[in-house]
Amino acid sequence: MHISDLFDTFPFLERKLGPEIFEDIPQEPGIYRFYDENELLLYVGKAKNLRRRLFSYKRAKPGKTSRKEAAMISKIHRIEYDILESEHEAILCENYWIREHRPEFNYANKHTETYYFITIQEHQSGLTFGLSMNPSGNLYPDSDKPLYRELHPPFEQNVEKKIYGCFKGHRIVRTSLGALLQLLWMAEYESVSPHYLPVQLSRNLTPMRFYFPVSEKSSLKKDQLTDMLNDWFLGDSFEIVDYLRTRISIADDSLFTKTFLDESTEILSGFFQRNLERYRMMRESIPNPKSHLIHQHELDDLMTKIKGKDPSPGLFPMP
């Protein structure tokens, strides 16, 4: 006797709900929802073919599914589905249900803390770069506290502030901003090696806020630098990266620095192609073209709508 013979291998959901519930499910696109016995929403999913997708749950057997799926199936008490015009519409509808109801077993698109806004504040002596999780881009939320009074530069009222985003993905956003800040520092201060970067920029995790003093010996005026940064974050130009790479290569052409530059450029090139250029395309499709901001509740739907127009969909994975 095989050990699997000791366990019930009959499809669990079919036995629990009965086979008749699956008989009339159409072979059309749509979304489906699972509820527990207290009518709490457990999960929302999309499908190109509702019948095929829900039959995969119907046929799920103990020991043949992941722990997450088994735990969810054990709680299902009722199934609902909505037929929609296309898979495209199903994705948009799924996004809505997940945002509004936060089902227990949905993870993607559920938590807004994975969305970042990047802020650049201009000061007389430099720029402050920051990451924020709200569209105000406020880098000094408690400016009256001693901690913020002691920051350099001092807290300034009515400074010019530019906000970009929102950008989805903790790792890609912080890694890309970190690479940009490292190259900025090395170019402006002619650091002979990445080993001489400030401590904040040499850590694995990019700081949420970093003050960048613009050198008096800079080959670019601050206005020129901010214009290039603005074009970069709006997805209009890769010029800032080319400029920084050239400046650093002149200061140090060692193999170590060249390798560092190659890796940093690859990170920034990927961020520009996968995020910044796509975000520019998305901004062109929103109702308010005067604003370049995309808010958290808009992003997933815009990503869905633009996918069909993107000439390189493989570089722009769906969330």
Side-chain angles (χ1 to χ4, degrees):
M1 179 182 291
H2 193 274
I3 190 170
S4 62
D5 295 333
L6 299 175
F7 299 93
D8 183 2
T9 58
F10 192 84
F12 178 79
L13 197 59
E14 183 177 357
R15 168 171 288 178
K16 184 177 182 180
L17 301 181
E20 62 279 358
I21 197 171
F22 296 94
E23 291 177 359
D24 298 325
I25 297 175
Q27 299 186 54
E28 297 182 58
I31 66 164
Y32 56 92
R33 299 181 292 277
F34 298 147
Y35 295 86
D36 68 9
E37 60 183 355
N38 298 313
E39 287 299 302
L40 293 176
L41 183 61
L42 296 172
Y43 183 79
V44 178
K46 64 182 182 299
K48 186 176 182 179
N49 183 316
L50 282 167
R51 185 177 183 84
R52 185 184 304 137
R53 186 70 185 96
L54 287 172
F55 265 52
S56 70
Y57 289 103
K58 171 191 173 182
R59 292 189 291 265
K61 298 179 181 180
K64 302 293 185 179
T65 61
S66 67
R67 288 186 178 182
K68 173 193 167 184
E69 191 172 67
M72 179 183 70
I73 290 174
S74 70
K75 293 185 176 184
I76 296 174
H77 188 74
R78 184 169 66 86
I79 297 174
E80 280 186 350
Y81 59 84
D82 295 326
I83 300 171
L84 296 166
E85 291 293 324
S86 64
E87 185 181 16
H88 177 89
E89 291 298 321
I91 295 172
L92 295 175
C93 191
E94 180 196 39
N95 288 344
Y96 167 79
W97 276 87
I98 293 174
R99 285 196 304 267
E100 291 297 310
H101 300 280
R102 302 287 192 263
E104 178 183 351
F105 288 92
N106 283 100
Y107 296 97
N109 305 341
K110 184 176 177 181
H111 299 291
T112 57
E113 62 266 21
T114 61
Y115 299 80
Y116 284 109
F117 292 90
I118 295 176
T119 301
I120 301 178
Q121 284 187 352
E122 290 190 47
H123 309 279
Q124 185 174 357
S125 55
L127 305 170
T128 297
F129 294 82
L131 287 166
S132 174
M133 294 179 186
N134 64 78
S136 71
N138 192 358
L139 303 184
Y140 301 93
D142 300 306
S143 58
D144 293 333
K145 292 185 177 181
L147 170 65
Y148 293 101
R149 287 204 301 267
E150 295 170 3
L151 283 173
H152 181 70
F155 178 77
E156 302 173 41
Q157 296 287 348
N158 302 319
V159 296
E160 185 173 350
K161 176 171 61 178
K162 294 181 179 178
I163 307 170
Y164 308 93
C166 62
F167 301 112
K168 186 175 183 180
H170 173 82
R171 183 176 179 276
I172 182 63
V173 176
R174 297 193 74 167
T175 300
S176 301
L177 181 60
L180 182 64
L181 290 174
Q182 288 174 334
L183 296 190
L184 270 174
W185 187 277
M186 291 174 67
E188 288 299 288
Y189 290 92
E190 299 184 351
S191 299
V192 295
S193 167
H195 290 305
Y196 293 95
L197 287 166
V199 174
Q200 281 183 287
L201 298 185
S202 61
R203 295 170 179 161
N204 290 331
L205 195 61
T206 304
M208 294 292 287
R209 182 172 54 249
F210 182 78
Y211 172 64
F212 180 80
V214 177
S215 170
E216 294 180 357
K217 299 179 181 180
S218 173
S219 62
L220 283 180
K221 293 182 179 180
K222 189 177 67 173
D223 290 345
Q224 293 176 300
L225 179 60
T226 54
D227 286 345
M228 290 173 69
L229 287 168
N230 185 62
D231 289 343
W232 158 264
F233 282 114
L234 290 180
D236 292 331
S237 172
F238 199 73
E239 182 183 5
I240 182 67
V241 178
D242 292 334
Y243 163 76
L244 296 175
R245 187 182 175 102
T246 300
R247 287 277 296 169
I248 297 168
S249 297
I250 292 173
D252 180 13
D253 61 354
S254 70
L255 178 61
F256 179 78
T257 299
K258 183 181 183 302
T259 301
F260 179 84
L261 283 175
D262 289 342
E263 292 175 352
S264 299
T265 303
E266 184 177 355
I267 291 170
L268 294 173
S269 178
F271 185 62
F272 189 78
Q273 292 177 356
R274 295 184 181 95
N275 295 81
L276 301 181
E277 285 190 323
R278 273 48 173 199
Y279 280 58
R280 174 173 52 78
M281 293 172 66
M282 284 188 278
R283 285 194 305 272
E284 293 171 354
S285 68
I286 60 178
N288 180 16
K290 293 183 179 179
S291 172
H292 64 261
L293 288 183
I294 297 175
H295 295 270
Q296 293 100 321
H297 67 278
E298 299 174 307
L299 180 58
D300 295 315
D301 288 352
L302 286 170
M303 291 174 77
T304 300
K305 291 176 181 177
I306 202 174
K307 187 180 181 184
K309 303 176 184 178
D310 192 341
S312 305
L315 293 176
F316 190 37
M318 292 301 301

